Structures are given as C-alpha cells and as structure tokens.
Amino acid sequence: MNASRVILVGFLFSLFGAICLVGNLIFVPMITLRLHKISYFKNLSRDLVFCAWRFFIFCTETLGYLRYEFKDCRELGKSGQIIIANHPSLLDVIFVLSHIRHINCIVKQELSKNIFLYPAIKASGYICNTENEELLQKGLEVLRNGESLLVFPEGTRTKDSIKFHKAPFYLAIHGAKSLKPLFIAMAPKSLQKGVKWYKTPKIKIHYQLTTKEEIPMDSYQKELPNSLRVRNLHKEINTLYHKENL
C-alpha cells in the first residue's frame, strides 16, 4: 500500500466533508424557511451542487488522484431526458452532477440519514430511492415537468456484474421523452462497494464517460403495450452494457 496515496485519499475525503458542511450553511436555512419548494431556489441549490462538485473533481485531478474525460456527452441534460448509467464507483454521481446543470437524480434512501449530504439532497429536490410507488410517481412527475433525470438502475455500486432493475425503464416508457445511456469506465478499479476507502490503487485512476445514441421514447416499439415495451427496453439496455464489458 502506498502511504502517500492513502494520505491523499484521506485529505480528499476530508475536503469532501468540508465542502458539504459549508454548503449546509446555505441549504439548512433554505429548508427551514421552505424556500426549496420554490423552483428558483431549488435550481439555485442545484447550481451550488454543480459548482461544489466541479471544484471537488478539479481538486482530485489537480492533486493527481485521477484524470477523467467526457466523450460525446454534449447531448446530456435535455428536457424530459432520463439518463441511465452504470455505477462502478463512489464518484460517479459527482461526475455527472458536476457536468450537467439543474439535473435531477435518484439517490440512495440511506443518504436521508447522512448529515453531510441530505441537506443538499432535500434542498435540490433530488429523489430518494424508496423502492415503492412513491419513487415511481416522483420520477414520472419530474420527467413530465421537463426535468432531466439521472438514474443508476443497479440501485447501488457494482459489486460483481451489472444487473439493472426494471423501475427506471418503467419511468422511461411512461414519462420520458428520451433515454440516453451513459457508460462510466474506470481503471484501475477503486472506491467500489465493500472496499475500504484506504485501499486505493498506487497509480492515477482514469475515468472515461461516454454515451450511446439517444433513444426516443415516443417511437420506441410504440406498436406494443407498455408492459412489453418496458420489458424489452430493460433487456436491450442490460445487453448493451454487458457487451461493453464494464
């Protein structure tokens, strides 16, 4: 284990926490005054998240922990677009939220108990994954209101192989204008589920985020009933990601 790399990762985790705490000085009063119910302040919260995580990613790159590249990602964040992404590491959502302004996303339910992150989640109107009808209703609502929505269909970080749940594809068929697959590749592997934070690679991590062609939902197998469209889309996207061998 490389001691200097462990120290660097420890510093970056501390920086992450400090950024969260500074942000909470804004988010907590906003929630207390119920300003987050107003679209202007909700978007302001998302702008703050956008800037904070962009700064954090800048620091990780500048300090030599990682390097990254977005390839063919210009069409991300369209109105009513659902973005499907695999989830190899802890930083995936931070990359996307620091790249697309005002995007909504579905986050783990466990984060509702996280004192560092939950104020930002609530102030920004992000959706907690409750794994019930409420999740579907909220997801459909934001898509029909013209927001773009980021979803990790695995539900949590990849442990062994990619396995997508069906709920995001139900949202795509019933509420989205389009679906955009986002592929996140990293080498070497790090910050995965079940792996301690200090078990970091000795070399710089390389992230690459790329997209495939957008799928319009209004024309996707429209001759079939929605239940079959959901099932076929789920199968098609699963196959697509397995072919990429991520």
Side-chain angles (χ1 to χ4, degrees), residues 31 36-37 117-126:
I31 295 167
H36 65 294
K37 299 288 186 179
L117 293 172
Y118 188 63
I121 291 170
K122 189 171 181 65
S124 301
Y126 299 145

Side-chain angles (χ1 to χ4, degrees), residues 204-218:
K204 186 183 294 187
I205 301 169
H206 178 214
Y207 278 87
Q208 182 173 285
L209 295 89
T210 59
T211 62
K212 294 291 185 181
E213 187 174 350
E214 188 173 49
I215 304 173
M217 289 295 97
D218 59 353

